Amino acid sequence: MSHRFFMHPLSSDRRWNHLKAGVNGVDSRLKLCGTKRKADGSFHTGTPTFLENPFCVHDNGHAHNNIKETNFGQDVSMSPFYHQCYSSVLDNPATSPSNLLKLSNNPFGQRKMQRTLSMPQTTVGDNSLLDGVDVTIRRVNSTNSFPKLRFRDHIWTYTQRYLAAEAIEDAILETGPTKHEGNVDGMHLVQLLISCAEAVACRDKAHASNLLVELRANALVFGSSFQRVASCFMQALTDRIALVKPLGAVGLVTPGPNLNSIGSEKKEEALRLVYEVCPHIQFGHFVANLTILEAFEGENFVHVVDLGMTLGLPHGRQWRSLLESLANHHGQSLRRIRITAVGPCVNRFHIIGDELEAYAHELGINLEFSHVESSLETLKPEDIKTYENEVLVVNSILQLHRVVKESRGALNSVLKIIHELSPKVLVLVEQDSSHNGPFFLGRFMEALYYYSAIFDALDAMLPKYDTRRAKVEQFYFAEEIKNIVSCEGPNRVERHERLDQWRRRMSRGGFQAAPVKLVAQAKQWLAELKVCEGYTIVEEKGSLVLGWKSKPIVAASCWKC
């Protein structure tokens, strides 16, 4: 959130009064009951700081003398300040959904809280521990009442709904009205999606199903950018609600065969289109190749270990470009280059290897191609053969996040194997977003913000009814969204994390950061690519980050043993 917003009159007394209305006058002295908790660092990055002491609310500098009946299930639309702040927004679309999500991702100070119907109603009577008498808590009959839930779980759910409501007011003050697109404005879709995610998180199948019906009618595949991204999240929520166990059970139903999974041909075509249309993967290849060329400077025998063989793209696109650069700059000194592909796609590796060896022969380069039929989790040190006097480089393009698990054992095992190979440099390219948090609602909000930026970029790059855009969105990015939102446990492999988290993981694995000094070359490359205005490349603590309108998309970093 910009500093300009905090200068607005709403950021002082009025905002504090709204905050008090949001918690409905809960007595500040309740903190003596042992409910004071600091916000967990693993929570959503936008968690307000007032949650460090959620009950510490005063009225004009004095604590409440009596505890009033508190209805946590009351909808925010029943409160007086709702109509004053938001009714004009919902009647007249006033801002872009991408801006709403952008604002909702920023850290907050003292904030209002929007309540939701999907939470259990709790009534606190006049008897209180504050006066030495037991507190009487009465649960109203509700399909969403969980006796084992702690209060911070309720606070967490309230926070997610509140962030979207706050973003509406902030966007009004910041941007003013924008042109209305589609039959339903984007702000209403934001509210529907978050409400549906809350219902799914609370296992309220009936409420979630009703919201999904409305989402299906308004989240259009060929609509505005946010309508299209909403359609992907709607599909993901539909898959997740189908796996939710009944109330009282724990976890999710074991998923059966995915009847909606798309064919491999469609996936391959979508991947090829992503490579051609979006600069995300090309950016990773560009930074990796320049780093590898620098590591191979003046060397006679070089070896590249490619984890995942650059996503399985046909024709070995990354390595064709590298071979051309080696022929132009290192042709005389280079005597042999070895490329080892790691992954389960053996048949595809055979085709790529034959093509690369033939291309290298045309360039006058001695290339040896080999492959290791293994996933990253089952990879063993002896699987990769190394020779003396050769310089080794490890290349990982959008791969290592797939072995990030809750236990961290799988990733640590892979990093240990790589460390034992003693590479001169490890090139790591990953999505720069937090899609691996422990809480479903937090992951949902982060993913909604991240993919809204990507769909906004696609909106600027391709015409509205371009079938290429539909294929990229529905067969590539939608599959990532479904995995993040609807899957848990070993089935969830799209565990994207932020660059700072990767720094910590790599440091624990025994690696040291090797600053990437390619900002000027990368910016020149982006300008020559001529994708569209809006993409940016910035240097962040020795790494390069490709973003769309200041939203980080992909980060490239280099590491050494």
Side-chain angles (χ1 to χ4, degrees):
M1 184 178 303
S2 65
H3 298 288
R4 177 164 63 91
F5 174 68
F6 289 100
M7 300 302 295
H8 196 276
L10 286 177
S11 63
S12 54
D13 295 338
R14 185 178 173 189
R15 283 187 168 276
W16 185 240
N17 292 333
H18 292 179
L19 173 59
K20 291 185 291 184
V23 295
N24 203 16
V26 178
D27 198 292
S28 62
R29 295 174 294 168
L30 280 176
K31 64 184 179 180
L32 301 176
C33 300
T35 56
K36 180 178 179 182
R37 297 177 183 272
K38 288 191 176 292
D40 187 11
S42 63
F43 277 11
H44 189 279
T45 55
T47 302
T49 55
F50 76 81
L51 288 182
E52 294 179 0
N53 189 356
F55 286 116
C56 188
V57 181
H58 298 271
D59 187 9
N60 298 327
H62 302 284
H64 293 289
N65 295 322
N66 297 307
I67 301 177
K68 305 296 182 182
E69 180 175 276
T70 304
N71 185 354
F72 286 99
Q74 178 184 357
D75 188 80
V76 72
S77 61
M78 301 300 294
S79 63
F81 90 93
Y82 175 86
H83 295 285
Q84 183 177 2
C85 294
Y86 301 129
S87 60
S88 60
V89 182
L90 298 177
D91 294 335
N92 182 24
T95 186
S96 166
S98 61
N99 288 334
L100 302 185
L101 294 167
K102 177 179 179 181
L103 290 168
S104 69
N105 196 50
N106 292 337
F108 291 90
Q110 294 174 339
R111 293 282 185 171
K112 302 185 292 296
M113 187 177 295
Q114 183 171 1
R115 287 162 290 181
T116 173
L117 284 169
S118 61
M119 292 307 300
Q121 297 180 352
T122 304
T123 303
V124 182
D126 291 330
N127 295 329
S128 173
L129 283 176
L130 305 177
D131 301 321
V133 184
D134 291 341
V135 173
T136 301
I137 298 180
R138 176 172 56 85
R139 296 273 181 185
V140 179
N141 290 335
S142 171
T143 58
N144 298 325
S145 298
F146 298 108
K148 294 184 180 180
L149 285 181
R150 291 174 291 184
F151 188 80
R152 67 175 181 180
D153 299 318
H154 296 261
I155 286 292
W156 173 241
T157 302
Y158 286 135
T159 301
Q160 297 304 315
R161 180 63 175 260
Y162 142 80
L163 288 175
E166 256 320 286
I168 293 177
E169 180 180 347
D170 294 347
I172 294 171
L173 298 175
E174 293 286 349
T175 62
T178 58
K179 184 179 179 180
H180 174 61
E181 284 187 301
N183 296 326
V184 175
D185 68 276
M187 289 179 295
H188 184 52
L189 279 176
V190 171
Q191 294 286 350
L192 283 176
L193 284 170
I194 296 174
S195 297
C196 187
E198 284 183 336
V200 171
C202 294
R203 300 177 187 173
D204 189 346
K205 286 192 173 183
H207 186 43
S209 298
N210 292 334
L211 292 170
L212 285 171
V213 170
E214 189 172 356
L215 281 169
R216 288 190 190 97
N218 299 297
L220 307 177
V221 176
F222 286 99
S224 64
S225 63
F226 194 76
Q227 285 177 322
R228 299 196 312 274
V229 76
S231 71
C232 297
F233 278 88
M234 178 270 296
Q235 297 169 31
L237 288 171
T238 301
D239 292 344
R240 186 176 180 93
I241 195 64
L243 302 177
V244 171
K245 288 183 179 180
L247 292 176
V250 179
L252 301 175
V253 175
T254 303
N258 188 0
L259 301 178
N260 297 322
S261 61
I262 62 175
S264 59
E265 294 183 0
K266 290 183 178 180
K267 289 183 179 180
E268 293 176 6
E269 182 183 9
L271 176 61
R272 177 181 59 82
L273 290 173
V274 168
Y275 184 84
E276 295 174 354
V277 173
C278 304
H280 309 165
I281 303 175
Q282 294 186 53
F283 166 75
H285 288 178
F286 174 79
V287 176
N289 283 353
L290 286 185
T291 303
I292 293 171
L293 286 173
E294 183 179 351
F296 287 169
E297 184 71 35
E299 300 293 340
N300 296 326
F301 301 96
V302 295
H303 185 189
V304 177
V305 175
D306 189 3
L307 305 181
M309 196 59 189
T310 58
L311 302 173
L313 281 164
H315 312 304
R317 293 175 182 264
Q318 177 180 1
W319 306 124
R320 283 175 173 266
S321 177
L322 179 69
L323 291 173
E324 292 175 0
S325 300
L326 287 172
N328 294 332
H329 299 91
H330 305 276
Q332 295 180 352
S333 61
L334 184 65
R335 298 178 60 182
R336 184 187 66 205
I337 176 173
R338 297 175 59 220
I339 297 179
T340 300
V342 178
C345 306
V346 178
N347 294 333
R348 181 173 299 174
F349 290 163
H350 277 302
I351 297 173
I352 294 175
D354 293 340
E355 291 180 353
L356 288 178
E357 287 180 346
Y359 187 65
H361 181 73
E362 294 177 3
L363 297 175
I365 296 178
N366 180 16
L367 171 65
E368 295 181 11
F369 186 90
S370 60
H371 65 270
V372 176
E373 185 179 2
S374 171
S375 64
L376 293 182
E377 295 185 56
T378 59
L379 185 64
K380 300 177 181 178
E382 56 269 20
D383 291 337
I384 300 176
K385 297 180 181 180
T386 58
Y387 300 143
E388 294 183 2
N389 301 323
E390 73 174 8
V391 175
L392 177 67
V393 170
V394 177
N395 182 73
S396 176
I397 308 293
L398 310 181
Q399 289 296 313
L400 283 185
H401 70 266
R402 294 177 172 270
V403 291
V404 175
K405 306 295 182 182
E406 286 85 352
S407 63
R408 297 186 300 187
L411 178 63
N412 290 342
S413 176
V414 174
L415 292 180
K416 181 179 179 181
I417 293 173
I418 296 175
H419 198 276
E420 290 178 0
L421 295 174
S422 300
K424 187 172 183 180
V425 65
L426 163 64
V427 181
L428 178 66
V429 179
E430 288 291 344
Q431 294 91 339
D432 190 9
S433 191
S434 181
H435 299 155
N436 193 35
F439 299 98
F440 163 70
L441 284 175
R443 294 200 308 271
F444 181 89
M445 294 293 290
E446 288 280 355
L448 189 58
Y449 177 38
Y450 178 81
Y451 287 100
S452 293
I454 292 180
F455 277 54
D456 187 41
L458 289 169
D459 201 47
M461 288 186 289
L462 295 173
K464 183 174 183 179
Y465 294 103
D466 195 321
T467 56
R468 293 178 299 167
R469 189 175 73 178
K471 291 178 180 179
V472 166
E473 293 174 348
Q474 297 298 318
F475 299 150
Y476 185 81
F477 291 116
E479 291 299 301
E480 290 186 354
I481 293 171
K482 288 179 183 179
N483 191 266
I484 294 169
V485 173
S486 63
C487 296
E488 292 293 349
N491 294 318
R492 182 160 60 88
V493 296
E494 299 297 343
R495 296 173 175 266
H496 311 148
E497 294 188 332
R498 295 197 182 279
L499 185 57
D500 287 339
Q501 182 64 23
W502 276 111
R503 290 192 183 99
R504 290 189 286 270
R505 291 189 182 279
M506 298 301 293
S507 297
R508 286 195 294 263
F511 291 88
Q512 297 178 349
V516 182
K517 301 177 181 179
L518 303 171
V519 182
Q521 297 95 315
K523 289 184 176 180
Q524 182 180 358
W525 166 84
L526 183 62
E528 294 175 353
L529 197 61
K530 297 180 180 179
V531 184
C532 68
E533 294 184 1
Y535 277 105
T536 59
I537 293 179
V538 297
E539 188 273 337
E540 181 181 335
K541 298 180 181 179
S543 304
L544 292 186
V545 180
L546 174 72
W548 171 256
K549 295 181 179 178
S550 76
K551 168 60 184 174
I553 302 296
V554 177
S557 57
C558 296
W559 303 87
K560 59 184 180 181
C561 297

